[in-house]
């Protein structure tokens, strides 16, 4: 088990911890994020990145930041899991990329960029991954409607005589 | 040889004139689904493969924010359509962790049996189509016949043969009867001879072995660094299986082995899947004989499950309770917390990251899709192989487009 | 026999002979994107055996096919591919839209999913279900054969007549507004202002 004191002494006092069910959440600021993640990988054995995702808190009661980005880590040897959360805000949501630490972060960060518009600095190839290149919006943001803005109807129609 | 990160964009190899580019997909029979690869070839050698995905992106996660916990099961179903029930079980596993529900013993066993049937379901199609792509049609037909028996079993339990939508928060839709149990028993008896037949057809088949051995090698370090889980990781020597390491449902009461290999190539992944089917059969044998009696859903007084139909039709209390469960703003008591829970799906770790918001819909329903993460490894694994190895590696990774793109 | 034809000769219309041949040798092009594709496989596999109805020659090259089976949801990124495949198929050709998603979008009423392929390509037969059982697909293939026999002509005159789209147009008022808004955003700047002026006038 990684103790909170150990993390706080290494990466600063503002790191917070929370536990819900058997999930442990560590809240860090975006400034020390890369240090914390690389430290956890190198010295605490969190060798596997399970997932990267983001949450849009727009209109969520009591939320102070617009987005959270969540990193789920796993220690393959002991099976210990840790969830690292950090907050980013508009107008320029940006975080450092962790591609250099885990190769699997490549696509996961591209997906977060595609769906939420959060960009990752130093990412080798930050393009849209799921939506078409020319798509203008970020669909998983809360201000984007479920049924879209009519993009799905925007195609030429082929009739029988042309076919 | 450790893998090095490959640039998946603008390549310097274009300067070499004899290099040519081949577009593979998005509508190609060997991809089975809607993958697209742009391959840079030197003769038949693959210098670089750039995957393009999103050809089946349908907004699953956005729908998860608009449908309630029981409704979303119909969407979760359609994620990995080789093993629909495994997705349902994973989804409700996470929801029940968020709500703090402890299932009844009968439900745990029932879900375990269904999860293992789904593992068979998935591996049968995956191995069958891998053989099909490599030139063997028979294994596909033999295995598909067994899949039809599993379809019959889940149809008897749920009423739908494909997308069952069978699980509910705190239980399942209907309980099963002895007829169903006998069906499963019969399946367990009839399966091994077919398995043996296909085993004889493929495992030592010279052509099949030559086309898979040493192809698509993935070392243990790379498997960890690339976040591989499930059979792909176990074939590379990562000894992890959530059924053993993080027991859920009834797995801690059942005896089974975690199948691993150190081969790391397509053949090792084939062998791991074949052996896992036998282990699933072992689990099924134990579980089907030990299903506990008792209720399958949790207590109605917990206000988490729908009351039984007779009490809805015949008593005012039942009717009120049913109404309250159905009304969007009156049902489950959901904590405003975040939770991640994962199950060992046939393809790897299938987890859901759910954010609760005081209503019976998730604020955010993120899927951790194994196919997405496994497909990201593909460019690393296929480099310097032949063009014909592309289908072998794709088959061994078992990429499901709906789970890949969601 | 009243006409006194020699043995082994019978008289028929050219159309009927061509239709008879076409209907009993449909070559499907499986455009399988999602779950329905697995049921399409099941239809072709051992238990249901599509070969009994002369339609088992699945060809994955559109140039060799005359029956497009759209199995599964089609999303924004995939629709241009589908249209291109349809245009590549030689005449005469038909299209079966298999499953709720291909017919109407199904449960996926979201930003990315095309709400029915019939809005953008011609469809001859709809198979409901999510996914349809193999028996339903078999029934659709049999109905398709019946349709070919009934309506087909040698030169494909029945196709030339249908020069307007038979699919639905967006009917939801809200949806139409959204489309208008989206096109305004795309036009941007001067042309957007011009459109607004025209609307006001």
């Amino acid at each position: 088990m990684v103790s909170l004191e150990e993390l706080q002494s290494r990466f600063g006092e503002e790191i917070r911890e929370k536990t819900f069910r058997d999930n442990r959440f560590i809240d860090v600021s975006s400034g020390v994020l890369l240090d914390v993640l690389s430290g956890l990988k190198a010295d605490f054995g969190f060798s596997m990145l399970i997932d990267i995702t983001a949450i849009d808190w727009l209109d969520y009661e009591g939320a102070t930041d617009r987005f959270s980005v969540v990193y789920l880590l796993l220690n393959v040897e002991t099976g210990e899991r840790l969830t690292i959360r950090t907050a980013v805000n508009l107008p320029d949501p940006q975080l450092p990329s962790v591609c250099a630490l885990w190769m699997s972060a490549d696509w996961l960060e591209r997906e977060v960029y595609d769906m939420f518009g959060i960009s990752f600095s130093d990412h080798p190839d930050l393009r849209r991954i799921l939506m078409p290149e020319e798509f203008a919006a970020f669909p998983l943001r809360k201000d984007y409607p479920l049924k879209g803005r009519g993009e799905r109807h925007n195609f030429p129609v082929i009739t029988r005589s042309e076919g | 040889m450790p893998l090095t990160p490959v640039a998946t964009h603008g390549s310097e190899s274009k300067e070499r004139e004899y290099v040519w580019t081949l577009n593979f997909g998005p509508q190609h029979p060997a991809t089975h689904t809607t993958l697209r690869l742009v391959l840079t070839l030197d003769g038949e050698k693959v210098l670089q493969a750039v995957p393009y995905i999103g050809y089946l992106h349908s907004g699953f996660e956005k729908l998860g924010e608009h449908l309630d916990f029981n409704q979303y099961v119909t969407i979760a179903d359609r994620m990995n359509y080789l093993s629909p029930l495994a997705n349902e079980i994973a989804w409700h596993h996470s929801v029940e962790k968020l709500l703090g529900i402890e299932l009844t013993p009968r439900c745990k066993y029932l879900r375990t049996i269904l999860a293992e049937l789904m593992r068979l379901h998935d591996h049968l199609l995956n191995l069958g189509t891998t053989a099909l792509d490599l030139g063997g049609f028979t294994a596909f037909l033999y295995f598909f016949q067994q899949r039809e028996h599993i379809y019959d079993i889940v149809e008897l339990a749920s009423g739908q043969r494909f997308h069952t939508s069978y699980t509910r928060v705190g239980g399942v839709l209907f309980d099963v009867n002895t007829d169903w149990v006998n069906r499963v028993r019969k399946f367990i008896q009839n399966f091994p001879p077919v398995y043996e037949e296909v085993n004889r057809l493929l495992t030592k088949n010279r052509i099949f072995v030559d086309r898979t051995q040493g192809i698509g090698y993935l070392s243990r370090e790379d498997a960890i660094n690339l976040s591989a889980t499930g059979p792909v990781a176990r074939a590379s020597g990562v000894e992890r299986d959530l059924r053993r390491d993080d027991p859920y449902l009834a797995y801690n009461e059942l005896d089974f082995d975690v199948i691993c290999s150190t081969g790391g190539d397509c053949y090792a992944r084939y062998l791991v899947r074949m052996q896992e089917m036998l282990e699933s059969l072992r689990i099924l044998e134990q579980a089907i004989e030990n299903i506990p009696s008792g209720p399958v859903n949790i207590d109605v007084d917990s206000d988490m499950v729908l009351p039984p139909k007779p009490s809805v039709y015949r008593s005012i209390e039942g009717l009120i309770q049913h109404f309250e469960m159905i009304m969007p703003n009156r049902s489950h008591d959901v904590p405003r917390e975040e939770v991640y829970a994962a199950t060992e799906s046939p393809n790897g770790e299938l987890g859901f990251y759910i954010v609760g918001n005081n209503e019976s819909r998730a604020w955010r329903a993120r899927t951790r899709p194994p196919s997405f993460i496994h497909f990201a490894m593909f460019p690393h694994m296929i480099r310097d192989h032949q063009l014909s190895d592309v289908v072998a590696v794709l088959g061994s990774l078992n990429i499901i487009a709906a789970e890949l793109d969601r | 026999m009243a006409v006194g034809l020699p043995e082994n000769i019978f008289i028929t219309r050219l159309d009927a002979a061509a239709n008879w041949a076409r209907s009993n040798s449909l070559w499907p092009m499986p455009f399988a994107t999602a779950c329905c594709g697995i049921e399409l496989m099941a239809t072709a596999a051992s238990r249901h055996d599509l070969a009994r109805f002369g339609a088992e020659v699945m060809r994955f090259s559109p140039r060799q096919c005359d029956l497009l089976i759209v199995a599964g949801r089609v999303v924004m990124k995939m629709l241009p591919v589908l249209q291109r495949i349809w245009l590549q198929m030689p005449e005469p050709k038909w299209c079966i839209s298999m499953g709720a998603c291909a017919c109407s979008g199904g449960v996926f009423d979201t930003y990315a999913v095309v709400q029915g392929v019939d809005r953008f390509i011609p469809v001859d037969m709809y198979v409901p279900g999510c996914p349809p059982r193999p028996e339903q697909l078999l029934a659709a293939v049999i109905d398709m054969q019946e349709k070919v026999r009934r309506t087909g002509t040698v030169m494909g005159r029945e196709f030339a007549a249908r020069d307007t789209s038979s699919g639905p147009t967006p009917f939801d008022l809200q949806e139409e507004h959204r489309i208008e808004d989206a096109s305004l955003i795309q036009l941007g700047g001067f042309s957007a202002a011009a459109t607004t002026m025209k609307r006001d006038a």
Side-chain angles (χ1 to χ4, degrees):
Chain A
M1 282 282 277
V2 184
S3 71
L4 180 68
E5 289 72 38
E6 216 169 340
L7 288 176
Q8 278 177 337
S9 65
R10 269 189 67 170
F11 305 111
E13 287 297 313
E14 61 270 34
I15 293 179
R16 292 280 166 275
E17 186 195 13
K18 189 180 151 188
T19 307
F20 178 69
R21 310 283 184 230
D22 60 355
N23 288 14
R24 260 181 98 204
F25 299 92
I26 306 283
D27 290 319
V28 303
S29 69
S30 57
V32 295
L33 176 75
L34 199 58
D35 291 339
V36 172
L37 288 175
S38 53
L40 283 172
K41 190 193 173 198
D43 304 329
F44 297 96
F46 286 94
S47 49
M48 195 186 272
L49 174 73
I50 290 290
D51 200 2
I52 301 177
T53 187
I55 301 150
D56 185 352
W57 296 112
L58 182 72
D59 298 335
Y60 190 87
E61 204 185 315
T64 49
D65 296 292
R66 176 69 195 267
F67 301 107
S68 285
V69 178
V70 180
Y71 296 79
L72 302 172
L73 305 183
L74 170 75
N75 184 333
V76 179
E77 308 304 329
T78 61
E80 187 186 348
R81 284 172 188 272
L82 210 55
T83 310
I84 312 294
R85 297 187 296 190
T86 185
V88 275
N89 279 299
L90 289 177
D92 179 29
Q94 196 175 30
L95 282 176
S97 165
V98 295
C99 283
L101 295 173
W102 293 282
M103 280 198 265
S104 55
D106 183 349
W107 279 27
L108 292 167
E109 286 179 352
R110 274 177 71 187
E111 193 190 341
V112 171
Y113 168 71
D114 192 357
M115 292 292 140
F116 291 92
I118 298 169
S119 62
F120 293 87
S121 55
D122 301 327
H123 189 285
D125 181 25
L126 198 65
R127 285 178 292 129
R128 281 189 178 273
I129 186 165
L130 295 176
M131 303 307 292
E133 280 292 331
E134 64 274 11
F135 198 75
F138 299 110
L140 277 185
R141 284 192 181 177
K142 289 280 177 185
D143 48 9
Y144 186 79
L146 171 68
K147 297 184 184 179
R149 299 201 176 103
E151 296 93 340
R152 60 184 183 182
H153 303 302
N154 211 353
F155 294 97
V157 180
I158 296 179
T159 63
R160 211 62 224 227
S161 55
E162 307 169 59
Chain B
M1 182 190 74
L3 299 178
T4 45
V6 288
T8 48
H9 52 107
S11 67
E12 64 279 7
S13 59
K14 275 191 183 131
E15 293 155 17
R16 287 144 74 182
E17 273 176 19
Y18 51 87
V19 164
W20 59 291
T21 310
L22 179 76
N23 181 49
F24 185 92
Q27 172 54 35
H28 186 280
T31 64
H32 298 297
T33 35
T34 54
L35 319 172
R36 181 174 167 223
L37 295 166
V38 176
L39 305 167
T40 311
L41 300 170
D42 172 4
E44 283 214 16
K45 200 171 100 177
V46 180
L47 295 180
Q48 188 190 40
V50 184
Y52 289 87
I53 66 168
Y55 289 91
L56 199 55
H57 174 68
S58 350
F60 279 72
E61 289 175 12
K62 190 86 177 172
L63 269 173
E65 296 166 8
H66 289 81
L67 299 178
D68 77 24
F69 294 137
N70 276 331
Q71 288 169 334
Y72 189 62
V73 78
T74 58
I75 307 295
D77 248 348
R78 283 149 181 83
M79 211 171 287
N80 180 343
Y81 39 72
L82 297 192
S83 52
L85 259 161
N87 301 319
E88 299 174 13
I89 290 166
W91 165 248
H92 276 144
H93 179 62
S94 307
V95 171
E96 280 149 10
K97 190 166 170 184
L98 178 72
L99 301 178
I101 294 174
E102 177 70 23
L103 292 173
T104 61
R106 186 176 174 82
C107 182
K108 280 185 182 172
Y109 267 79
L110 190 54
R111 284 196 190 179
T112 310
I113 293 168
L114 291 166
E116 289 311 312
L117 279 174
M118 284 301 128
R119 195 176 313 280
L120 286 172
H121 211 39
D122 180 282
H123 289 358
L124 284 172
L125 188 78
N126 173 249
L127 297 174
T129 51
T130 305
L132 180 68
D133 293 343
L134 298 178
F137 197 52
T138 322
F140 169 73
L141 291 178
Y142 282 16
F143 272 171
F144 223 101
Q145 189 62 26
Q146 293 305 308
R147 291 195 81 205
E148 290 285 348
H149 294 311
I150 300 179
Y151 276 140
D152 289 345
I153 290 171
V154 294
E155 186 176 5
L156 190 61
S158 71
Q160 234 280 32
R161 79 182 222 126
F162 201 100
H163 292 314
T164 49
S165 305
Y166 185 53
T167 60
R168 292 289 181 274
V169 176
V172 294
L173 181 54
F174 319 109
D175 200 353
V176 295
N177 52 20
T178 20
D179 191 18
W180 186 83
V181 174
N182 288 334
R183 262 299 169 104
V184 179
R185 282 195 188 122
K186 205 173 141 204
F187 173 78
I188 295 171
Q189 268 173 16
N190 293 343
F191 184 71
V194 181
Y195 175 86
E196 264 316 304
E197 218 158 355
V198 176
N199 199 8
R200 279 207 306 277
L201 263 175
L202 292 180
T203 308
K204 288 187 181 149
N205 182 325
R206 180 68 192 276
I207 303 171
F208 186 78
V209 174
D210 279 356
R211 295 237 11 218
T212 50
Q213 211 156 38
I215 304 296
Y217 178 72
L218 185 71
S219 70
R220 187 172 187 274
E221 292 72 45
D222 294 324
I224 292 173
N225 198 358
L226 284 160
S227 309
T229 48
V232 178
R234 287 196 286 275
S236 294
V238 183
E239 279 182 53
R240 266 196 73 75
D241 190 323
L242 292 179
R243 291 176 292 171
R244 185 198 63 186
D245 301 335
D246 213 350
Y248 56 98
L249 298 180
Y251 284 113
N252 49 2
E253 298 164 28
L254 300 166
D255 178 37
F256 64 99
D257 292 330
V258 175
I259 307 293
C260 284
S261 160
T262 48
D265 56 3
C266 292
Y267 189 60
R269 290 190 274 278
Y270 161 79
L271 289 179
V272 166
R273 287 209 172 90
M274 282 298 264
Q275 284 298 316
E276 268 188 16
M277 294 211 293
L278 289 184
E279 290 304 315
S280 292
L281 218 55
R282 238 176 95 193
I283 297 175
L284 280 176
E285 273 169 2
Q286 298 166 41
I288 199 76
E289 299 308 332
N290 293 318
I291 300 186
S293 57
V296 72
N297 286 349
I298 57 166
D299 195 9
V300 180
D301 295 334
S302 62
D303 284 336
M304 293 290 182
V305 289
L306 283 173
K309 281 285 172 290
S311 102
V312 177
Y313 292 137
R314 291 186 195 145
S315 71
I316 187 71
E317 293 79 18
L319 188 66
I320 290 171
Q321 206 170 5
H322 183 90
F323 177 79
E324 296 222 317
M325 280 301 299
I326 295 294
M327 286 300 282
N329 50 355
R330 295 203 191 176
S331 55
H332 306 114
D333 195 10
V334 183
R336 289 164 58 86
E337 297 282 355
E338 300 167 37
V339 80
Y340 174 79
T343 60
E344 184 74 28
S345 87
N347 231 352
E349 177 174 336
L350 177 67
F352 284 91
Y353 190 93
I354 307 178
V355 182
N357 182 30
N358 247 343
E359 53 183 357
S360 60
R361 296 181 304 179
W363 179 260
R364 172 96 171 92
R366 157 76 183 172
T367 319
R368 190 260 180 208
S371 286
F372 182 81
I373 286 155
H374 289 164
F375 197 39
M377 317 172 181
F378 182 77
H380 306 272
M381 290 165 76
I382 195 61
R383 232 174 7 147
D384 296 336
H385 282 49
Q386 301 286 311
L387 175 59
S388 57
D389 298 334
V390 170
V391 286
V393 177
L394 272 181
S396 76
L397 287 178
N398 194 17
I399 309 296
I400 312 300
E403 190 183 71
L404 171 74
D405 297 336
R406 282 151 290 127
Chain C
M1 292 301 116
V3 225
L5 280 172
E7 247 180 75
N8 279 342
I9 290 183
F10 68 95
I11 298 174
T12 180
R13 285 182 303 119
L14 198 53
D15 280 354
N19 290 340
W20 173 78
R22 280 173 186 165
S23 67
N24 289 311
S25 64
L26 289 171
W27 285 28
M29 155 86 210
F31 190 86
T33 55
C35 338
C36 290
I38 306 295
E39 284 297 65
L40 187 60
M41 272 189 201
T43 317
S46 343
R47 186 185 282 187
H48 298 284
D49 197 9
L50 190 59
R52 293 177 291 162
F53 305 98
E56 86 281 19
V57 198
M58 300 265 180
R59 280 292 173 271
F60 296 96
S61 159
R63 305 260 183 223
Q64 300 172 350
C65 299
D66 53 7
L67 175 64
L68 178 68
I69 301 182
V70 186
R73 53 190 177 275
V74 176
V75 306
M76 275 160 56
K77 221 171 167 178
M78 198 64 175
L79 189 76
V81 180
L82 174 65
Q83 289 186 325
R84 200 163 149 192
I85 284 177
W86 172 254
L87 289 176
Q88 281 176 350
M89 286 168 61
E91 290 282 3
K93 58 190 173 186
W94 298 274
C95 174
I96 290 181
S97 153
M98 176 187 178
C101 298
C103 295
S104 70
V107 288
F108 296 100
D109 191 1
T110 63
Y111 54 90
V113 181
V114 170
Q115 300 296 297
V117 292
D118 56 355
R119 290 183 179 198
F120 303 107
I121 64 166
V123 172
D124 292 286
M125 193 74 69
Y126 299 84
V127 191
C130 190
R133 296 180 64 98
E135 293 90 333
Q136 273 175 285
L137 185 62
L138 288 178
V141 169
I142 296 167
D143 286 351
M144 194 72 232
Q145 292 173 335
E146 178 59 33
K147 184 172 179 174
V148 173
R149 270 197 291 272
R150 220 178 44 242
T151 63
T153 51
V154 174
M155 301 306 289
R157 285 191 307 277
E158 80 273 20
F159 298 135
R162 287 185 246 158
D163 53 356
T164 47
S165 165
S166 52
T169 43
F171 49 89
D172 178 4
L173 201 62
Q174 215 188 347
E175 216 165 65
E176 274 181 346
H177 281 311
R178 273 205 297 273
I179 295 167
E180 216 165 77
D181 292 347
S183 60
L184 281 183
I185 292 167
Q186 274 175 3
L187 290 172
F190 175 72
S191 15
T195 326
T196 329
M197 273 166 62
K198 217 162 56 188
R199 211 198 262 163
D200 291 344

